[in-house]
Amino acid sequence: MEHLVVHGGHRLDGSVQVGGAKNAILPLLPAALMAKGKAIIRNVPRLTDVETMMELLRSLGCTAEWEGEHRLAVERQDDAAFEAPLELVRKMRASIWVLAPLLATRGQAVVPLPGGCVIGDRPVDMHIKGLCAMGAEIEITGGNLTAIAQNGLHGAEIYLGGHFGSSVGATVQVMLAGVLAKGKTILHSAACEPEISDLANCLNLMGAKILGAGSPRLEIEGVEELNAVDYYVIPDRIEAATLLMAGAITDGEVEVTDVRPDHLSAVLSSLRQANVFVEVNERSIRVRNNGPLKSIDVTTHQYPGFPTDAQAQLMALLTNAEGYSIISEQIFPDRFRHIGELNRLGANIRKATNHAIVRGRQTLTGARVEATDLRASAALILAGLVAEGETEVEQLEHLDRGYDRLEDKLRALGAVLERVA
Ligand code: EPZ
């Protein structure tokens, strides 16, 4: 098994380019199942999640190839297959986004239930609610979602607010179902994440008619067909947040380029509150040490609130702040598996229901730690950058799902770390 050996104590300085957004690309790829012609997607990072989605599309009658370092070509060839392979869906829950395109183009779909993961049990009830409102009949048998829409899908007025508020996944699912449905779909309590807006922008270029993306109310007028386009996806705001926090935790000066600062307002606000100097330019952000880090209280929310995907990284940063910080997780209340591993490095963090109390100014010392999920991996690497001695981060398959050569980017900024087989 590969692991990362991080040598602590090296300040990060310099400028690094951020890659394309994983969570914008993963909803975009299933849309190719509904388009005519060859789709080109640019600014695509080399992630195992992207490879998994490409494999899934190939299993459903598409060609999907890399045409350049960060450029994909996807083309639908035939509409025969309608069953998503279990081994692929198990690897990545975003696979469930093939459900709507399969129903829209083939009238049926069999997609294994994605199941839970360490950050939560990940239900899909809102996906099912939306598709059933649009005419699908869905059964859960043998761990599979078996869906039929014999007369195709039709528009509907749907409220998609759940126990934890809006759902990115369910919003994507209904958008993909609505673009070829008969009539108009109105979606209330839609997710407002930038990745939703990016999907809507791309679908509209393909010929869809979607209004209101980025707001809680979406209107989708169904059309007859979609044509594949050449599309450049938005930067990854979570990778940007991770790299900025890597600079801040080492008291360094780090600039991230090719970013959308407007996608990071909550993150930048929290960094400033923690006494990090933050300078924002049109497509770049720079952080610099501004004296000791201060403890802060942060609650994760749907966009534009503080993103749950940056929560673990912030927790690592706040182990170095003066005083006690409180991080409240409102989206995935169980998303705290990184607490135990950070405490193995000498942090002093206590979980109380969906709150983490982080005692600051703890001296961290290197140890062998296990990454439990994608963002926990990043948090442990950040902590390793300042822990005394060596920190060995295991289970790198989680990291590689969502970060494109993060260790190379950190090394270019002055970090000393290596991947060891
Ligand atoms: C997407 O997951 C992202 N994944 C997650 O990023 C991100 O953390 C999450 O949105 C929130 O922003 C991708 O885009 C591939 P949700 P998703 O549906 O769609 C509950 C990462 O690290 N819910 O917005 O699964 C759910 O349990 C990953 O890149 C239901 O109850 O998230 C959660 O509590 C991790 N029923 C809340 O809603 C449903 O049918 C928000 O989940 C669907 C969701």
Side-chain angles (χ1 to χ4, degrees):
M1 293 297 272
E2 284 186 327
H3 62 274
L4 218 48
V5 180
V6 186
H7 302 267
H10 300 270
R11 239 175 70 114
L12 300 194
D13 285 306
S15 181
V16 61
Q17 186 181 8
V18 168
K22 165 176 87 78
N23 294 349
I25 291 152
L26 293 179
L28 259 183
L29 286 168
L33 287 165
M34 302 188 286
K36 287 170 75 168
K38 182 177 177 181
I40 302 289
I41 303 176
R42 299 174 192 271
N43 199 27
V44 181
R46 291 275 173 157
L47 307 174
T48 51
D49 271 6
V50 172
E51 299 288 353
T52 303
M53 187 59 89
M54 288 166 71
E55 218 179 311
L56 178 57
L57 293 182
R58 291 186 199 111
S59 75
L60 294 170
C62 294
T63 53
E65 306 304 332
W66 291 100
E67 280 197 342
E69 175 63 14
H70 296 294
R71 192 172 77 240
L72 280 186
V74 183
E75 183 162 14
R76 166 182 164 190
Q77 300 299 331
D78 70 69
D79 290 356
F82 60 86
E83 298 191 47
L86 175 60
E87 68 278 5
L88 294 177
V89 176
R90 272 237 172 95
K91 268 195 228 175
M92 180 187 61
R93 53 176 290 100
S95 308
I96 193 165
W97 285 332
V98 299
L99 190 51
L102 291 175
L103 280 173
T105 56
R106 303 164 202 199
Q108 59 180 336
V110 177
V111 178
L113 274 167
C117 66
V118 291
I119 68 174
D121 60 14
R122 314 297 291 273
V124 291
D125 55 307
M126 294 155 75
H127 297 242
I128 294 169
K129 174 184 175 183
L131 292 176
C132 289
M134 298 173 77
E137 291 164 37
I138 299 181
E139 273 188 6
I140 295 180
T141 47
N144 289 329
L145 284 169
T146 304
I148 293 179
Q150 274 153 347
N151 310 318
L153 295 169
H154 58 72
E157 183 153 4
I158 307 163
Y159 170 71
L160 265 194
H163 178 63
F164 297 96
S166 60
S167 156
V168 169
T171 303
V172 167
Q173 193 77 256
V174 171
M175 285 169 74
L176 294 174
V179 291
L180 291 179
K182 294 181 200 66
K184 179 184 279 191
T185 299
I186 296 177
L187 184 45
H188 299 286
S189 187
C192 304
E193 272 68 6
E195 294 76 23
I196 297 287
S197 300
D198 211 31
L199 174 63
N201 290 342
C202 184
L203 288 169
N204 284 341
L205 286 173
M206 293 165 69
K209 290 180 182 163
I210 303 171
L211 295 174
S215 84
R217 187 182 188 281
L218 291 186
E219 267 193 32
I220 307 169
E221 187 66 54
V223 295
E224 287 301 311
E225 65 178 19
L226 296 174
N227 296 300
V229 294
D230 184 328
Y231 195 74
Y232 191 97
V233 295
I234 54 171
D236 193 317
R237 58 195 169 102
I238 305 302
E239 183 187 29
T242 306
L243 291 164
L244 290 171
M245 291 184 197
I249 202 170
T250 62
D251 290 340
E253 179 164 345
V254 167
E255 178 192 49
V256 292
T257 60
D258 280 8
V259 294
R260 287 277 303 271
D262 58 316
H263 292 168
L264 284 151
S265 54
V267 170
L268 302 185
S269 167
S270 294
L271 290 177
R272 285 182 169 129
Q273 270 187 296
N275 195 36
V276 176
F277 178 83
V278 179
E279 177 191 311
V280 176
N281 296 304
E282 195 183 335
R283 304 248 341 147
S284 66
I285 302 167
R286 179 192 305 276
V287 291
R288 189 169 60 229
N289 177 272
N290 192 33
L293 288 173
K294 292 193 170 72
S295 57
I296 57 174
D297 293 351
V298 175
T299 299
T300 64
H301 286 288
Q302 272 87 9
Y303 190 85
F306 192 93
T308 174
D309 292 348
Q311 178 255 104
Q313 301 90 310
L314 179 73
M315 191 182 290
L317 177 65
L318 293 174
T319 61
N320 289 266
E322 287 172 342
Y324 283 87
S325 298
I326 297 178
I327 297 179
S328 303
E329 175 54 70
Q330 298 275 85
I331 309 293
F332 294 109
D334 298 335
R335 193 175 196 168
F336 282 139
R337 290 285 295 275
H338 39 283
I339 290 178
E341 295 305 299
L342 286 169
N343 286 344
R344 278 176 48 73
L345 296 174
N348 182 335
I349 306 167
R350 196 152 41 82
K351 178 178 179 299
T353 63
N354 68 320
H355 308 283
I357 297 113
V358 184
R359 179 175 174 162
R361 303 308 296 163
Q362 301 301 296
T363 303
L364 303 184
T365 53
R368 203 172 176 96
V369 287
E370 186 178 332
T372 50
D373 63 276
L374 164 56
R375 307 301 174 182
S377 311
L380 292 169
I381 293 169
L382 261 54
L385 293 174
V386 290
E388 288 167 5
E390 290 181 2
T391 296
E392 298 185 9
V393 181
E394 299 177 324
Q395 313 291 338
L396 294 185
E397 64 274 13
H398 298 296
L399 184 75
D400 295 339
R401 289 189 53 186
Y403 286 96
D404 183 357
R405 298 168 299 113
L406 180 64
E407 67 258 31
D408 294 351
K409 296 183 179 179
L410 292 173
R411 193 176 299 116
L413 292 169
V416 177
L417 71 175
E418 62 271 350
R419 186 176 284 235
V420 176

